[in-house]
């Protein structure tokens, strides 16, 4: 809840695009919050929303088990926008007819606007424009008091509205939140800023001021520890909390030995540049390697590393004396996906950092980013003056290089992978591609192949290069790196990294593959 800013509440009915809705709204400098579809009216009201948005979802309103709405939601007196399933839900609830479409629409469709007021204000109606559809059902008859305001070739009622009797209800069959919908941002902004009349006050500057004030009030004179991973989220969180409480914060970095080349040294240098910001680096590489042993199963690797981290962290934290608070860089998507387990998005994973570690360690939590998305944290980091190489650091798995070594993890294999990975990063950055590629890294395969080096037969490891483009990591495609750059990477790795005689390039998308190999 953020009473200092106007808020739009989004009810999640299981759409894969729900987080995009929230992010688009925040781009207008308006605060948004996502709640499960089964959130109570009381919970919705605690956010004092200026408007409601019903997301899309996989269900049909005609199914017995389909998510439903409390009638009193329509009595709140605030504007409501239904998207896809949300539109069908409004129509069904208000007495309209929703049936399976004669022809389903998945993907691009051309929308023709029938009324350019309200929702479509500022969009020319002379010719259709592309929108993104994903529906099997459609509204066949609008409820009494509603009118059709747009259509497509296969959806005669692609948008509807009702502005009568104190109600402002809107429904659109397509998804304005995705980039494939041409005027999607305009449509959402019309709803949020024109119809709901939200003030555009949600900025990172305002967030910093509010967060610092709240942290100071919460902590008082207590000592605080931050579990620093070196990633964007925990690093920016540490800088923010340090601005609030100064020397009361101690950052603890556990070096598990699975970081990339020179990463620990770079991290230490970054924090040393911050005035009086103590960082304690604990070297536990041998401890983690010993715990892993010859484990090759990727899921077992993750669990062993996770358990070992907790043991080591507890040991190191105990030596700091009395510490009351723990800082975590938990992000809003972690919270959403974990809470949505109780709603229609039942298959979404529960994140380990939403209530897992603190229960064991009995610290009180400080999670300043529980309401922020990754791109907002990056923006916040720049506002706080962090170096760009930290702010734009790529997503990096918690177990680190241990899951980029397929098979058993050894000191020798870690050295090989670190050196190969450093070359990949150097060449991508030298080519000016580091901002256009979401992730790029090397993977060490558990196989050896025959090669010829210096007129001698070799039998050495294979390095796979993985580089993907994405906007949110949920889906991804392989990056089309120019061949000369790939050739230079391969040449350098084979010549400079001892133990490698072959380099391959991964051209798999997600799905069906994943970004990481393990």
């Amino acid at each position: 809840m953020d009473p200092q800013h106007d808020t739009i509440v989004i009810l999640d009915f299981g759409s894969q695009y729900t987080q995009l809705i929230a992010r688009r709204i925040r781009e207008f400098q308006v605060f948004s919050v996502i709640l499960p579809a089964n959130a109570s009216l009381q919970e919705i009201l605690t956010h004092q929303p200026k408007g409601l948005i019903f997301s899309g979802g996989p269900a049909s309103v005609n199914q017995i088990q389909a998510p439903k709405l409390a009638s009193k939601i329509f009595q709140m007196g605030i504007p409501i926008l239904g998207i896809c399933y949300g539109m069908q839900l409004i129509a069904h609830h208000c007495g309209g007819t929703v049936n399976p479409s004669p022809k389903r629409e998945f993907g691009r469709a051309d929308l023709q606007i029938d009324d350019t007021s309200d929702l479509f204000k500022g969009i020319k109606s002379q010719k259709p424009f592309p929108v993104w559809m994903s529906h099997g059902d459609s509204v066949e008859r609008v409820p009494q008091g509603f009118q059709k305001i747009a259509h497509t070739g296969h959806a005669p009622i692609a948008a509807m509205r009702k502005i009568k009797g104190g109600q402002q209800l809107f429904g659109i069959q397509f998804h304005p939140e995705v980039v494939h919908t041409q005027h999607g941002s305009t449509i959402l902004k019309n709803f949020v800023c024109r119809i709901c009349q939200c003030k555009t006050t949600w900025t990172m500057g305002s967030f910093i001021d509010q967060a610092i004030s709240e942290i100071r009030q919460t902590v008082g004179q207590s000592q605080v520890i931050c579990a620093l991973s070196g990633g964007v989220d925990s690093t920016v969180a540490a800088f923010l909390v340090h601005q609030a409480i100064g020397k009361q914060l101690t950052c603890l970095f556990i070096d598990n030995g699975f970081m990339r080349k020179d990463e620990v040294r770079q991290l230490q240098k970054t924090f040393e540049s911050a005035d009086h910001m103590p960082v304690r680096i604990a070297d536990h590489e041998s401890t983690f390697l010993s715990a892993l042993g010859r484990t090759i199963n990727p899921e077992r690797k993750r669990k062993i590393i996770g358990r070992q981290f907790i043991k080591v962290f507890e040991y190191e934290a105990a030596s700091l004396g009395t510490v009351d608070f723990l800082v975590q860089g938990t992000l809003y998507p972690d919270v959403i996906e974990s809470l949505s387990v109780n709603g229609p998005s039942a298959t979404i994973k529960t994140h380990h950092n939403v209530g897992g570690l603190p229960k064991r360690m009995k610290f009180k939590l400080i999670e300043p980013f529980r309401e922020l998305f990754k791109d907002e944290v990056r923006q916040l980091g720049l506002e706080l003056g962090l170096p760009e190489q930290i702010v734009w650091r790529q997503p990096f798995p918690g177990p680190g290089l241990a899951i980029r070594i397929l098979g058993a993890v050894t000191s020798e294999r870690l050295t090989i992978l670190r050196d190969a990975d450093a070359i990949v990063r150097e060449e991508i950055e030298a080519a000016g591609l580091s901002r256009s590629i979401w992730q790029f890294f090397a993977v060490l395969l558990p196989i050896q192949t025959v090669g010829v080096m210096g007129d001698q037969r070799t039998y050495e490891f294979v390095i796979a290069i993985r580089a993907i483009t994405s906007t949110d990591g949920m889906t991804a495609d392989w990056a089309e790196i120019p061949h000369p750059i790939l050739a230079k990477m391969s040449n350098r790795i084979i010549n400079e990294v001892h133990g490698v005689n072959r380099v391959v390039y991964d051209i798999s998308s997600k799905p069906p593959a994943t970004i990481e190999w393990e």
Side-chain angles (χ1 to χ4, degrees), residues 412-481:
E412 176 195 9
R413 292 180 179 184
L414 281 166
T415 299
I416 291 172
L417 182 57
R418 278 197 191 98
D419 290 343
D421 184 76
I423 290 171
V424 171
R425 288 188 289 140
E426 286 168 11
E427 293 303 327
I428 292 290
E429 287 165 5
L433 299 174
S434 57
R435 291 287 183 88
S436 59
I437 302 177
W438 172 269
Q439 267 182 285
F440 45 90
F441 54 88
V443 179
L444 180 63
L445 305 188
I447 56 173
Q448 291 174 288
T449 68
V450 174
V452 178
M453 301 175 77
D455 294 326
Q456 292 185 344
R457 181 183 186 275
T458 61
Y459 194 59
E460 296 182 334
F461 286 109
V462 178
I463 288 289
I465 297 173
R466 180 67 159 152
I468 58 99
T469 57
S470 181
T471 55
D472 51 22
M474 296 174 66
T475 61
D477 202 0
W478 58 279
E480 297 186 34
I481 297 175

Side-chain angles (χ1 to χ4, degrees), residues 71 243 383:
S71 297
Q243 279 209 3
E383 292 257 357

Side-chain angles (χ1 to χ4, degrees), residues 217-354:
Q217 186 176 0
T218 300
V219 170
Q221 299 302 311
S222 299
Q223 293 300 307
V224 180
I225 190 171
C226 176
L228 192 63
S229 70
V232 177
D233 308 327
S234 67
T235 303
V236 177
F239 268 74
L240 177 66
V241 175
H242 181 257
Q243 279 209 3
I245 61 173
K247 292 182 180 180
Q248 291 172 247
L249 172 70
T250 299
C251 294
L252 178 56
F253 176 80
I254 305 297
D255 183 3
N256 57 17
F258 305 141
M259 302 297 286
R260 292 174 289 195
K261 191 171 185 177
D262 296 330
E263 208 155 27
V264 176
R265 182 176 57 82
Q266 183 192 46
L267 179 72
Q268 191 169 20
K269 184 179 178 181
T270 298
F271 278 89
E272 283 175 354
S273 66
D275 293 337
H276 310 295
M277 188 170 179
V279 179
R280 178 171 175 173
I281 297 179
D283 183 359
H284 284 274
E285 179 176 353
S286 60
T287 306
F288 279 85
L289 279 174
S290 176
L292 275 181
R294 303 297 294 180
T295 303
I296 61 173
N297 181 280
E299 196 59 28
R300 279 189 51 77
K301 281 185 189 177
R302 291 175 182 272
K303 289 179 179 179
I304 290 170
I305 292 170
R307 286 195 299 266
Q308 192 62 33
F309 178 83
I310 292 173
K311 288 180 183 178
V312 171
F313 192 84
E314 286 176 337
Y315 170 78
E316 294 290 344
S319 66
L320 295 174
T322 303
V323 177
D324 298 313
F325 293 91
L326 170 68
V327 176
Q328 284 195 156
T330 306
L331 297 186
Y332 195 38
D334 300 339
V335 178
I336 296 166
E337 292 177 359
S338 296
L339 293 178
S340 294
V341 170
N342 297 319
S345 304
T347 59
I348 297 178
K349 62 185 175 182
T350 301
H351 289 258
H352 70 280
N353 60 338
V354 184

Side-chain angles (χ1 to χ4, degrees), residues 42-106:
Q42 182 179 1
E43 185 177 1
I44 294 171
L45 289 172
T46 60
H47 295 276
Q48 303 173 29
K50 295 275 286 186
L52 282 177
I53 294 180
F54 302 158
S55 82
S60 167
V61 295
N62 295 312
Q63 294 173 339
I64 296 175
Q65 300 299 325
K68 298 294 191 298
L69 286 168
S71 297
K72 290 184 178 179
I73 284 182
F74 291 93
Q75 299 171 15
M76 293 174 62
I78 58 175
I80 297 175
L81 170 65
I83 297 174
C84 195
Y85 178 84
M87 170 182 172
Q88 297 163 16
L89 193 61
I90 291 173
H92 181 75
H93 182 89
C94 295
T97 303
V98 178
N99 282 320
S101 304
K103 186 169 183 179
R104 299 182 300 172
E105 287 183 301
F106 295 98

